[in-house]
Amino acid sequence: MADTLALFTSIGLSEQKAKETLKNEALSASLKDAIVQAQRVCGASGVDKARGTLLYSMASRLKDTKRLTFLSDSIAQGKISTELQLAAALDFIKSHPQDPINQKQYEEACGVGVVVTPEQIEEAVEAVVKKHKEQLVKERYHFNMGLLMGEARSALKWADGKVIKNEVDLQVLQLLGKKTEADLEKKAKVTNGTLFKGIFWENGKSLMEQLRGESLKFHKPGENYKTEGYVVTPKTMELLKKHLEITGGQIRTRFPPEPNGILHIGHAKAINFNFGYAKANNGICFLRYDDTNPEKEEEKYFTAIKDMVEWLGYKPYAVTHASDNFQQLYDLAVDLIRRGHAYVCHQKGEELKGHNAPPSPWRDRPIEESLVLFERMKKGLFSEGEATLRMKMVMEDGKMDPVAYRIKYTAHHRSGDEWCIYPTYDYTHCLCDSIENITHSLCTKEFQARRSSYFWLCNALDVYCPVQWEYGRLNLTYTVVSKRKIIKLVETGVVRDWDDPRLFTLTALRRRGFPPEAINNFCARVGVTVSQTTTEPHLLESCVRDVLNDSAPRAMAVLEPLKCTITNLPENSKSDVRVPDFPANESKGSHVVPFTRTIFIEQSDFRETMEKGYKRLTPEQPVGLRHAGYVISVQKVIKDAQGKVVELEVTCSSSETTEKPKAFIHWVSQPLVCEVRLYERLFLHKNPEDTSEVPNGFLSDINPHSLQTISGALVDISVKGAKALDKFQFERVGYFSLDPDSTADKLVFNRTVTLKEDPGKI
């Protein structure tokens, strides 16, 4: 240990750094081998601090240790003398995993022997500054100087970055002079996201820009081997070459839902990521149904899933099914047995549960025996649970020999009774990805434990191996999205069905009136993150308001009507009032509503007793009527036998000749009688599934006020021709969408979201 410590300090590591390195066995062994090899080339005294720093950097970053000697020699010989060259060398090694390495190509790629003079640096920076001079002079020191650095570096790949930076600073100073106070002020930044032309920007980036940015982190098509953890076999390069011939280097993704339930808000992120990533990078995305569990699959789920994908604005390149490949998957399973990587097992399902299941006594049974038994499984000669096909591998989470095939005597919705054995997710997923030549298999973080098994199975069968990339799940508070729990809510009558507007399934959100653009914008606001995200519903509702504010035409609706008779108008008085669909932009159209002697206002817009700060109608205080051009004043308050106010007699006067009132309220006249459904959160607690918050389970946490139905709401006649899911802003009330329950005789509106509260409104 002392000798190794001395060896590490001899190349310039501090004693503390050397001791820390010794704690990492793998790094310590690699660094020791690298130093010894370098000393063989240039002697013990030849490994100075500069070379030592490069050796340490190389040892800590190199994944393929068989190249350690080669790179140590390059550093010792002085061919690799900068961090920039080392990065290029590591990249070259990663890109050329097979022997032999072409020395000439390697040296060209790493800039070996290239000398960049100060004059070249000066000329390159001068050209870049000249190119951006106009913008530089305009923005001065608020200009993105990194752009100048980047372009200069591109022109002089092997130049010293510090020298380039000094030259940029010098030439900018010569052009602009010293910084002024204005230059020192911070430039305003986009924070927490901004809506711009209907596309959500998070920290200045749209979803598509974020997804294009992700492509810089991911491998390029055909360069799967550059991904950390990807296993290169003797067949890898040949398979990748064939893959590129088929795809032409195009990015291919897939969205692979199980057709045993309705998609929810978490799936919206998956849809946006898979389809959006392909779209942002000129690729294609498949919609592939993972239909390998016939017991739970129904046609309605297949239809609803496709509808939701298209509703969010994405069109699949092709709609495929795992069941399209049943025969090919079976043939590959036979091949897996022949190669000695799978066996037929008779352990029961309960024995296989958990991570500490006992090893199978049938693991080492003869290959021929497993082939015969697997054929018997296919022919239906075993009972369900009597035999499975298992793969000989250990998953990252420690689970041993996952099941590849199990017996199910259930007819399949597509193949009928042709099969009685069905492949599992662990077996099917990666092979279907391979069959479809997927380049990027994007999935949520919980599948990270399956990444090594994904690579193992493709390589065990010598088929093209895509790369699995994980991203963080999207979760919302105050809801449940598990299929099992939603079914429980439906069965117990808490909600009507999967599309009950209180749920966060996509069909429910659509029925409630959430625009697809708002959901996509919400996914952009959450961002493309690796970490799991838990978000509150109000952030989604904010995105909904942003979209509906620009797209939902205005109408007037009174939920709790109070009749007002305008006594100074004739009995049969009727006039037309033109109401703009979008008051902030009247050029977008308008509609006409009648104004008669009888109007209806909200009960809450009248108070019999004047209170401090109250700005609407009282016996002493008039109020304006929106769009009508009238101000009304109370003449008489009429009550029923219980003392409840049931009608007001008022007079009206022109708003042009009357003192401006403190407030204007909405109203309706000759309205339609409609049903309005007001929704609140379905659960009382943020995390209804958390037993520490809700000890008696999620069904005990139902909000009794999650749905309020108003059967006698009054809405102006402009909504008469509306179709299901048409959206409106009922002025001063909220955003509403026409429910499919509507009939010609009675329209039904769902409240999508409330309006943003005006703190000045009382």
Side-chain angles (χ1 to χ4, degrees), residues 131-197:
K131 176 183 172 184
H132 296 283
K133 184 177 178 180
E134 186 179 337
Q135 202 64 23
L136 261 168
V137 171
K138 183 180 177 183
E139 296 186 25
R140 291 184 57 78
Y141 287 96
H142 287 147
F143 184 84
N144 178 11
M145 301 301 171
L147 184 63
L148 305 181
M149 279 288 297
E151 290 190 13
R153 286 293 291 268
S154 297
L156 300 169
K157 185 176 179 181
W158 304 112
D160 187 316
K162 289 180 182 176
V163 178
I164 291 179
K165 185 179 185 308
N166 290 339
E167 186 63 33
V168 167
D169 290 345
L170 178 65
Q171 292 200 26
V172 169
L173 181 64
Q174 288 173 345
L175 176 67
L176 304 178
K178 290 183 179 180
K179 289 183 179 180
T180 64
E181 284 188 23
D183 294 327
L184 295 170
E185 287 180 11
K186 286 187 178 180
K187 190 177 180 181
K189 291 183 179 179
V190 179
T191 56
N192 298 324
T194 306
L195 252 181
F196 179 68
K197 293 185 179 177

Side-chain angles (χ1 to χ4, degrees), residues 538-603:
H538 70 80
L539 294 174
L540 173 57
E541 290 167 0
S542 173
C543 292
V544 171
R545 288 189 190 94
D546 286 334
V547 172
L548 291 181
N549 186 52
D550 290 333
S551 61
R554 280 32 171 188
M556 291 190 286
V558 174
L559 305 190
E560 295 180 316
L562 175 59
K563 182 180 178 182
C564 295
T565 302
I566 305 173
T567 57
N568 62 333
L569 286 182
E571 196 73 43
N572 298 321
S573 172
K574 183 179 178 182
S575 59
D576 289 337
V577 172
R578 187 162 292 280
V579 178
D581 292 335
F582 298 90
N585 184 359
E586 296 192 14
S587 64
K588 290 175 75 172
S590 61
H591 58 272
V592 172
V593 295
F595 184 80
T596 68
R597 191 170 188 265
T598 301
I599 64 171
F600 298 88
I601 66 171
E602 290 284 0
Q603 290 178 20

Side-chain angles (χ1 to χ4, degrees), residues 467-485:
V467 179
Q468 176 176 302
W469 291 94
E470 301 87 16
Y471 57 90
R473 281 186 63 157
L474 169 60
N475 297 314
L476 274 186
T477 54
Y478 296 101
T479 190
V480 297
V481 293
S482 127
K483 295 165 190 170
R484 183 175 56 82
K485 288 176 179 170

